[in-house]
Amino acid sequence: GAALAGAGLMTGSVAKAAPLPIPESNTVMGDPIPAESYGLPTEFEKHVKRRRSDVFKNKQNFSDWSMTPLQHQIGIVTPNGLFFERHHNGVAKIDPDKHRLVIHGLVDRPLEFSMDDIVRYPSVSRFHFMECSGNTLTDWREPKSVTVQQSHGLLACAQWTGVPLSWLLAEAGVKPEGKWVMFEGGDGSGHLRSIPIEKVMDDALLVYGQNGERLRAEQGYPIRAFFPGWEGNTCVKWLRRIKVVAEPDQIRGETARYSDPMPNGKWRQFSMVMECKSVITSPSGGMSLKGPGLYEVQGFAWSGNGKITNVDLTFDGGRTWREAAIEGPALDKCLTRFRYRWNWDGGPAKLASRAMDSTGYVQPTVEDIARVREISGFVQHHNGIFPWTVAQSGEVSNAIA
Amino acid sequence: GAALAGAGLMTGSVAKAAPLPIPESNTVMGDPIPAESYGLPTEFEKHVKRRRSDVFKNKQNFSDWSMTPLQHQIGIVTPNGLFFERHHNGVAKIDPDKHRLVIHGLVDRPLEFSMDDIVRYPSVSRFHFMECSGNTLTDWREPKSVTVQQSHGLLACAQWTGVPLSWLLAEAGVKPEGKWVMFEGGDGSGHLRSIPIEKVMDDALLVYGQNGERLRAEQGYPIRAFFPGWEGNTCVKWLRRIKVVAEPDQIRGETARYSDPMPNGKWRQFSMVMECKSVITSPSGGMSLKGPGLYEVQGFAWSGNGKITNVDLTFDGGRTWREAAIEGPALDKCLTRFRYRWNWDGGPAKLASRAMDSTGYVQPTVEDIARVREISGFVQHHNGIFPWTVAQSGEVSNAIA
Amino acid sequence: ADYGQRPEVGYGKPVADADLVLWNIDIHTPDGANLPAGEGTVPAGKLVYEQKCIACHGEKAAGGPVYGTLVGGIGSMTKSPRVLTPGSMYPYAPILFDYVRRAMPMDAPQSLTNDEVYAVAAYIYNLNGLVPDDFKMNATTMARIEMPNRDAFVRDNRPDTLAERCMSDCKPIGTVADASKPAAAPR
Amino acid sequence: ADYGQRPEVGYGKPVADADLVLWNIDIHTPDGANLPAGEGTVPAGKLVYEQKCIACHGEKAAGGPVYGTLVGGIGSMTKSPRVLTPGSMYPYAPILFDYVRRAMPMDAPQSLTNDEVYAVAAYIYNLNGLVPDDFKMNATTMARIEMPNRDAFVRDNRPDTLAERCMSDCKPIGTVADASKPAAAPR
Ligand code: HEC
Ligand code: HEC
Ligand SMILES: [Ca+2]
Ligand SMILES: [Ca+2]
Ligand SMILES: [Ca+2]
Ligand SMILES: [Ca+2]
Ligand SMILES: [Ca+2]
Ligand SMILES: [Ca+2]
Ligand SMILES: [Co+2]
Ligand SMILES: [Co+2]
């Protein structure tokens, strides 16, 4: 074989003081298989948990969020048990047999559906990311998060299964005046968002399946809306009412919330699409490199506007960039993993990733964003390039500034 | 809109006796978000469990198996908690920090790896199915299983993450005489299989990640071998020893087990690849159709030799076949979902699926298989076309015969 | 062939508008359409507030153990930080009716009568200086309240950044503070 | 570019054969290579068996509460059902040593001494009529035992079915029983 770097290979094979012992696991019976089960991670992976927002602390835990441990995520699929949460009044509990979904408003035929009705339609399955519009909100002017779970953990990815919303709206018969569609949830906040009819008829889904099984309660069981590439809060959970309207109701969640501060006291509203973004998950904040040598830099790139076509990495704070490998399948509006083999020379470094999507849009820096928006204490749609510094000690830290 | 079939639309919108009540979930607080959690399915989906073999009952539950509820699986990814199990002496418990993997035998440099060593390599992630060579073993001559979980549930699919085994073998330096590679597990059965070096150097992986997280204990935590498209038992779990050899040891698991009865008292051994197979999961055994009308027939197709190119369905017991739609992404050696819109006329029907893969191989019938093998009481590699009958009552039953 | 195409069937059951009276509660806030009958005064609202809201929102809605102030912030939209309250932030007064009815009190959403919602809205807007002490809040009067933030909303016009894919000799990653410095000379 | 390519590094640490003496326990069963020193007799094996195996495998290894017989079946490979035991099925006698040492007793794998493994193997093969009562089982003698199923194994030669993709006017799905009827005339 080729000559190899790596400490181990420099020395010969000198026997140890005592031979390797037989592992205990080879000498005992393992745990038996129970009659039925739903398996869980091993106790050795207990630290891999979704965690409540702990940088920005909410004073109650009903309108609150928990974050996906992206630094531990392997591959592009987020296990359902680690999928981030954002609820406005806790996790609703809904008996699917009693649940009803209604379509009314500017339609020819107002309709009511049971869950049995909905699952009887043919269905489709698609891989898509979901990101909260407030993701990365704690880290705009200065580093607040230690880990990428804290900074970017309102992000996850799944294979979603359900029915195109366009089918059900066509069944109800949208009147020509129907230009927006309102979605209302069955939770204690009655969460509600209005969506332009074009998006609804394009690629929107009514989903009941996530990653091979029915939705979890935290993700809207028994049914939710799903708008590929759009901010998570539009994907109304515990969905019970769809109303076709001429224009949005402009309720609190469409005005005072989920709007973005702009110059001159203005607010940008109905900013739904999650623009192209990326982040390095390894090495990332809180990790520690163990001496100079090869590291595979890994992370995620995603875009609500299409596929990821390129991811570039910098190691010198943005002066020079090198193209990372994109691991397939690189799907539309889906988490895409990038990888790059970096030889760390042991000196201080400033790493960041920059993604480009199939529309040609390039992920901006926070400076680029700050030039056109006036984000002040209410950070939404922060898709800025996110740097980490590696100190000579190997410590990796949040370098947003 | 277009004219629609469907009972609901025939009648006008007559108001009910009482208006729809506000669902209770809208009027109470939901469950708060805990500080940290690993989420679980809702109580309403409790019936979706992997289940121990309950048609063929083993007398103990250490060398035993549990089966994936395929009739409930949505999309192509099997949730890790529902991933089927096959152990030979229960689920081993291994502390990853103490685990060591050794490569020795016909190599230039015998090597020892800690888990930290292994995860430091660059990695790759790939979607692949895994199937047990004994899948469908209870249903060969006559129907024994009621559900597709019982008949086909030794099948699942995941995104696997790890290191190409070829890298580590190249690092150890395989001697020219090294033609097979032995893999040994750290469980109480010391499970062991030998694999031809060609497969090992082609696409074999050393995997530590499954569906976005570290392997579950049941799937070999902290590390297992993975041979895409090959029978599950070759993918040795709790892997601790790799030995390069000139020829297999021919131990029990390579001779008296995992071999297939052939004519004249012979046994076919080292039958590793899982040939092209498919099964309809909906409607499937134990389900009941609710009257004539449209049903989306769904199921899985997969091949250990490549991609699925076509799936055909019959509704008349095999006389005529129609092509189903294949839902992308249709990946190499991966579960692939097929869908077909079937208008059930309410009469008795006999349904089955037949898959073809990118090598041109067509899934055989049990008759085809029985002509060339002598499967008697020890069913392995049963990839036969699997029919379900739909009675006039709508009851769906296993129709293998 | 038919994959992803709408099937020629429909499983929805007809439902009448009358069936949805308890469901169809969203208010078209710009004009107050769908505001129900009923009325409430500031003193009545103070009573409701002190019984059902004060535990979370504090004395005079000035902020409580689980949520910040519901009062003030008018004129803060061009300052930093902007202070966001129903008074300062909501562009249309009926937003408060819609939100309180569907979501408050947080521990018993949809438990208030319409009169109670009108009353507590009168109380909150009165604390914000937007309605007088003797105001009678109802479907007509609520829609007419002039809200200071009314014209502050603009529709999404992204992409608004025009980053380029520079590979070498690039400007280092900047900060929010850099954005307020004059732009660098073109390179 | 380098995706999927082997990196120019290696993290393995050298290990010496001497470090692996307790690990390197697999037997090359066709010739018994790697069988350890030690020896066992049929009566010694009976003692081991009755202490450590009988609870699961039953009297005289004829089948117990958790596993079927370990004895018999020789000559059954052309019958149905085939009776699979170490005597009838194993092509090479050292398979029994390898398996018992690594996996048995199921509740304490790798707990037997090499002498005990040889002895219990002598007992089981004696019950199967493959070795005499006074047999001394050791590395040399074990590899020489003639096993009835030795030549029964063939390597995988699939694909062995040649199904065609018939779309209409096809032969209905057949059964295992149909396979033994004469093949249908070509269509
Ligand atoms: C058990 C705690 C609790 C009670 C009781 C409660 N609230 Fe709230 N309230 C909250 C929380 C928490 C929020 C923020 C929710 C969110 O943003 O998702 C909130 C938000 C609000 C808002 C939105 C403020 C804004 O800036 O848009 C209004 C208005 C409001 N509450 C009014 C009321 C009224 C009126 C009552 C009583 C009738 C009430 N609340 C009772 C906890 C409570
Ligand atoms: C706690 C129960 C238990 C005990 C004790 C036990 N066995 Fe087993 N044995 C089993 C089971 C179960 C299997 C089947 C395992 C499998 O196939 O994965 C088995 C399999 C075997 C086989 C393989 C049979 C074949 O057909 O290939 C042999 C040989 C064997 N045992 C010998 C022994 C010996 C010798 C002892 C005592 C030293 C012993 N067993 C003690 C449960 C036990
Ligand atoms: Ca039910
Ligand atoms: Ca937005
Ligand atoms: Ca550890
Ligand atoms: Ca096989
Ligand atoms: Ca209007
Ligand atoms: Ca040999
Ligand atoms: Co959000
Ligand atoms: Co198997």
Side-chain angles (χ1 to χ4, degrees), chain B residues 246-248, chain D residues 28-33:
Chain B
E247 53 179 27
Chain D
H28 187 63
T29 69
D31 57 12

PDB file of all heavy atoms in Angstrom, chain B residues 246-248, chain D residues 28-33, ligand 8:
ATOM      1  N   ALA B 246      -7.180 -17.008   3.911  1.00  0.00           N
ATOM      2  CA  ALA B 246      -7.070 -17.521   2.543  1.00  0.00           C
ATOM      3  C   ALA B 246      -8.402 -18.111   2.097  1.00  0.00           C
ATOM      4  O   ALA B 246      -8.787 -18.003   0.922  1.00  0.00           O
ATOM      5  CB  ALA B 246      -5.965 -18.570   2.455  1.00  0.00           C
ATOM      6  N   GLU B 247      -9.088 -18.742   3.023  1.00  0.00           N
ATOM      7  CA  GLU B 247     -10.377 -19.338   2.702  1.00  0.00           C
ATOM      8  C   GLU B 247     -11.211 -19.362   3.975  1.00  0.00           C
ATOM      9  O   GLU B 247     -10.669 -19.251   5.077  1.00  0.00           O
ATOM     10  CB  GLU B 247     -10.196 -20.739   2.129  1.00  0.00           C
ATOM     11  CG  GLU B 247      -9.361 -21.630   3.001  1.00  0.00           C
ATOM     12  CD  GLU B 247      -9.204 -23.037   2.417  1.00  0.00           C
ATOM     13  OE1 GLU B 247      -9.287 -23.184   1.179  1.00  0.00           O
ATOM     14  OE2 GLU B 247      -8.993 -23.965   3.215  1.00  0.00           O
ATOM     15  N   PRO B 248     -12.513 -19.502   3.850  1.00  0.00           N
ATOM     16  CA  PRO B 248     -13.354 -19.417   5.054  1.00  0.00           C
ATOM     17  C   PRO B 248     -13.047 -20.526   6.041  1.00  0.00           C
ATOM     18  O   PRO B 248     -12.610 -21.617   5.662  1.00  0.00           O
ATOM     19  CB  PRO B 248     -14.774 -19.578   4.524  1.00  0.00           C
ATOM     20  CG  PRO B 248     -14.712 -19.538   3.052  1.00  0.00           C
ATOM     21  CD  PRO B 248     -13.282 -19.729   2.622  1.00  0.00           C
TER      22      PRO B 248
ATOM     23  N   HIS D  28      -9.971 -23.097  11.828  1.00  0.00           N
ATOM     24  CA  HIS D  28     -10.143 -23.379  10.408  1.00  0.00           C
ATOM     25  C   HIS D  28     -10.621 -24.824  10.329  1.00  0.00           C
ATOM     26  O   HIS D  28      -9.833 -25.774  10.382  1.00  0.00           O
ATOM     27  CB  HIS D  28      -8.824 -23.179   9.669  1.00  0.00           C
ATOM     28  CG  HIS D  28      -8.995 -23.287   8.183  1.00  0.00           C
ATOM     29  ND1 HIS D  28      -9.771 -22.422   7.452  1.00  0.00           N
ATOM     30  CD2 HIS D  28      -8.524 -24.197   7.295  1.00  0.00           C
ATOM     31  CE1 HIS D  28      -9.765 -22.760   6.187  1.00  0.00           C
ATOM     32  NE2 HIS D  28      -9.022 -23.851   6.059  1.00  0.00           N
ATOM     33  N   THR D  29     -11.926 -24.995  10.244  1.00  0.00           N
ATOM     34  CA  THR D  29     -12.507 -26.309  10.526  1.00  0.00           C
ATOM     35  C   THR D  29     -12.183 -27.393   9.511  1.00  0.00           C
ATOM     36  O   THR D  29     -12.132 -28.574   9.891  1.00  0.00           O
ATOM     37  CB  THR D  29     -14.038 -26.194  10.719  1.00  0.00           C
ATOM     38  OG1 THR D  29     -14.656 -25.881   9.469  1.00  0.00           O
ATOM     39  CG2 THR D  29     -14.388 -25.144  11.763  1.00  0.00           C
ATOM     40  N   PRO D  30     -11.935 -27.072   8.222  1.00  0.00           N
ATOM     41  CA  PRO D  30     -11.642 -28.182   7.297  1.00  0.00           C
ATOM     42  C   PRO D  30     -10.403 -28.981   7.696  1.00  0.00           C
ATOM     43  O   PRO D  30     -10.367 -30.194   7.501  1.00  0.00           O
ATOM     44  CB  PRO D  30     -11.432 -27.469   5.955  1.00  0.00           C
ATOM     45  CG  PRO D  30     -12.253 -26.218   6.061  1.00  0.00           C
ATOM     46  CD  PRO D  30     -12.085 -25.794   7.494  1.00  0.00           C
ATOM     47  N   ASP D  31      -9.395 -28.338   8.275  1.00  0.00           N
ATOM     48  CA  ASP D  31      -8.206 -29.094   8.663  1.00  0.00           C
ATOM     49  C   ASP D  31      -7.905 -28.966  10.153  1.00  0.00           C
ATOM     50  O   ASP D  31      -6.895 -29.485  10.618  1.00  0.00           O
ATOM     51  CB  ASP D  31      -6.996 -28.657   7.830  1.00  0.00           C
ATOM     52  CG  ASP D  31      -6.713 -27.161   7.955  1.00  0.00           C
ATOM     53  OD1 ASP D  31      -7.301 -26.511   8.846  1.00  0.00           O
ATOM     54  OD2 ASP D  31      -5.905 -26.644   7.157  1.00  0.00           O
ATOM     55  N   GLY D  32      -8.754 -28.266  10.889  1.00  0.00           N
ATOM     56  CA  GLY D  32      -8.544 -28.143  12.325  1.00  0.00           C
ATOM     57  C   GLY D  32      -7.450 -27.175  12.715  1.00  0.00           C
ATOM     58  O   GLY D  32      -7.071 -27.103  13.883  1.00  0.00           O
ATOM     59  N   ALA D  33      -6.960 -26.402  11.753  1.00  0.00           N
ATOM     60  CA  ALA D  33      -5.911 -25.435  12.089  1.00  0.00           C
ATOM     61  C   ALA D  33      -6.424 -24.485  13.158  1.00  0.00           C
ATOM     62  O   ALA D  33      -7.569 -24.050  13.108  1.00  0.00           O
ATOM     63  CB  ALA D  33      -5.486 -24.656  10.840  1.00  0.00           C
TER      64      ALA D  33
HETATM   65 CA    CA E   8      -7.110 -25.454   4.347  1.00  0.00          CA
END
